[in-house]
């Protein structure tokens, strides 16, 4: 009826308004969040499966805001990308991560690698590579102390330009890792077109591990294919011993996930390293 239709419309706009309002509030708070020091990093250990040692960590961004509380990166990163704020926030992440990597390469292992997530918009910043090199130099780090994790979105732009950027990064020893492998439209094609040092098998494959026979088969095939292309493999989202055993059996290079550790504060990560 006419009445129902009007109510449906009414509900729809209310839901929509709540979403829009939340978004606007996040956007408004985010503008001054860097200046107010509201961002911090957590570090999730990455285990080298050939020697059972910590190879490095992935830096993961956290935001605590006095008005909104803790906001998940799944919610605020897309907004930071749409507003362009991901560029300055991304430099904060790089700076903090390399500072931590400097410390841990001295105190723990000079082969320590810090992995940093990069958004497509950061990759389009013409100053990115120069700034990364400056940050590495000012922290007295070699390029191979840094791994940049990128998703398919980065590769959608100008292919030649992206390939040139990859070349310049790898000339400096900086590693490039394909994140969320297996979830996009043409992960396989991208492996052919761009030179990655590592790929990260998306954690959805781990979630389906015990439920769906095709998940372990696809993990196994991905490892074999990556190795044939001279690409190393990190499995993410490893939560069960059974998954880890399988990955070791199949020759996977690295593992990351709650089984080993959740993302940790800098202090807790140091305690973890010393354990
Ligand atoms: P991602 O790069 O795929 O990061 C892996 C996510 O999986 C992280 O979520 C991590 O906390 C979570 N995780 C790790 N191990 C497990 C596990 O065993 N089980 C489960 N269920 N989850 C696990 P988080 O920290 O919430 O980050 C979400 C996404 O936000 C990241 O996905 C990444 O795309 C983005 N992100 C986080 N930090 C940054 C950043 O500094 N810059 C950019 N551009 N994006 C970031
Ligand atoms: Ca990542
Ligand atoms: Ca991932
Ligand atoms: Ca992801």
């Amino acid at each position: 009826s006419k009445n129902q239709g009007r109510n449906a419309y009414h509900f729809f706009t209310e839901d929509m308004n709540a979403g829009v309002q939340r978004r606007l509030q996040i956007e408004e708070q985010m503008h001054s969040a860097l200046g107010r020091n509201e961002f911090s990093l957590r570090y999730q250990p990455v285990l080298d499966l050939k020697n059972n040692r910590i190879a490095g960590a992935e830096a993961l961004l956290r935001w605590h805001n006095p008005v909104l509380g803790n906001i998940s990166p799944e919610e605020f990163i897309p907004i930071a990308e749409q507003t362009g704020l991901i560029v300055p926030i991304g430099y904060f992440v790089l700076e903090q991560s390399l500072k931590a990597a400097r410390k841990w390469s001295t105190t723990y292992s000079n082969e320590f690698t810090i992995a940093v997530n990069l958004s497509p918009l950061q990759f389009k910043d013409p100053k990115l590579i120069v700034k990364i090199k400056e940050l590495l130099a000012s922290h007295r780090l070699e390029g191979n102390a840094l791994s940049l994790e990128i998703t398919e979105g980065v590769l959608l732009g100008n292919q030649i330009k992206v390939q040139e950027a990859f070349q310049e990064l790898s000339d400096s020893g900086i590693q490039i890792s394909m994140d969320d492998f297996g979830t996009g439209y043409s992960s396989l094609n991208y492996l052919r077109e761009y030179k990655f040092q590592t790929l990260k098998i998306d954690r959805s494959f781990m979630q389906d591990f015990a439920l769906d026979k095709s998940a372990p088969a696809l993990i196994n095939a991905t490892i074999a294919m990556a190795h044939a292309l001279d690409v190393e493999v990190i499995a993410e989202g490893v939560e069960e011993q059974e998954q880890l055993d399988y990955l070791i059996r199949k020759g996977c290079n690295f593992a990351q996930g709650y089984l080993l550790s959740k993302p940790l504060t800098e202090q807790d990560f140091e305690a973890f390293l010393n354990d």
Side-chain angles (χ1 to χ4, degrees):
S1 77
K2 206 175 169 184
N3 213 3
Q4 258 174 342
R6 199 174 61 213
N7 280 338
Y9 175 74
H10 187 67
F11 286 127
F12 175 67
T13 51
E14 257 180 14
D15 272 4
M16 203 173 66
N17 278 339
V20 168
Q21 264 171 33
R22 165 99 182 151
R23 210 207 108 96
L24 284 174
Q25 215 177 12
I26 288 177
E27 203 180 309
E28 188 192 324
Q29 293 296 322
M30 206 187 300
H31 276 282
S32 37
L34 258 184
R36 287 191 307 241
N37 249 313
E38 292 173 12
F39 292 107
S40 62
L41 294 181
R42 296 294 178 273
Y43 300 91
Q44 189 175 37
V46 175
L47 183 69
D48 186 333
L49 298 178
K50 80 174 175 290
N51 57 18
N52 212 34
R53 285 194 34 104
I54 301 304
E58 178 177 3
L60 293 158
L61 189 58
R62 297 290 177 264
W63 180 22
H64 179 82
N65 175 264
V67 178
L68 298 164
N70 290 323
I71 305 125
S72 146
E74 306 274 9
E75 186 174 16
F76 76 76
I77 296 276
I79 299 172
E81 286 171 342
Q82 284 150 20
T83 56
L85 284 167
I86 193 64
V87 174
I89 294 171
Y91 284 120
F92 165 84
V93 173
L94 279 163
E95 166 85 54
Q96 292 291 307
S97 299
L98 292 177
K99 201 171 130 203
R102 164 74 273 164
K103 190 161 55 164
W104 298 329
S105 69
T106 312
T107 58
Y108 178 72
S109 159
N110 57 12
E111 285 172 34
F112 191 92
T113 300
I114 194 84
V116 173
N117 292 286
L118 271 197
S119 291
L121 198 65
Q122 292 176 267
F123 208 81
K124 288 203 181 76
D125 176 2
K127 297 197 198 78
L128 177 77
I129 297 183
V130 172
K131 283 203 184 176
I132 287 179
K133 287 181 183 174
E134 283 173 3
L135 281 171
L136 284 166
S138 70
H139 291 92
R140 292 172 291 111
L141 286 167
E142 302 289 334
N144 59 14
L146 176 65
S147 174
L148 299 174
E149 298 196 354
I150 65 163
T151 51
E152 274 193 12
V154 167
L155 307 172
L156 290 175
N158 178 328
Q159 189 183 341
I160 304 291
K161 270 198 178 155
V162 175
Q163 278 166 339
E164 282 171 0
F166 271 43
Q167 188 62 52
E168 199 180 342
L169 290 165
S170 67
D171 287 347
S172 308
I174 298 162
Q175 303 176 52
I176 308 170
S177 186
M178 186 164 188
D179 208 347
D180 301 348
F181 187 83
T183 59
Y185 292 104
S186 44
S187 302
L188 281 182
N189 221 15
Y190 289 130
L191 272 193
R192 227 159 41 103
E193 284 164 11
Y194 302 95
K195 179 67 191 120
F196 290 94
Q197 278 71 44
T198 47
L199 67 79
K200 298 189 82 168
I201 302 178
D202 191 70
R203 70 169 194 260
S204 57
F205 290 89
M206 261 3 106
Q207 279 160 355
D208 294 344
F209 188 86
L211 308 169
D212 175 356
K213 274 214 174 73
S214 69
L218 286 168
I219 292 168
N220 184 26
T222 301
I223 295 168
M225 177 204 59
H227 287 170
L229 297 172
D230 206 19
V231 173
E232 294 195 301
V233 181
I234 304 179
E236 64 175 21
V238 178
E239 294 183 1
E240 309 288 341
Q241 186 63 44
E242 180 201 359
Q243 298 167 343
L244 187 64
D245 293 341
Y246 183 82
L247 292 164
I248 293 170
R249 238 180 12 253
K250 298 302 177 185
C252 186
N253 304 90
F254 305 97
Q256 195 185 336
Y258 295 168
L259 176 67
L260 184 65
S261 169
K262 294 208 167 190
L264 302 168
T265 63
E266 197 171 318
Q267 207 181 7
D268 288 346
F269 187 79
E270 277 162 26
F272 185 89
L273 283 180
N274 292 323
D275 236 19

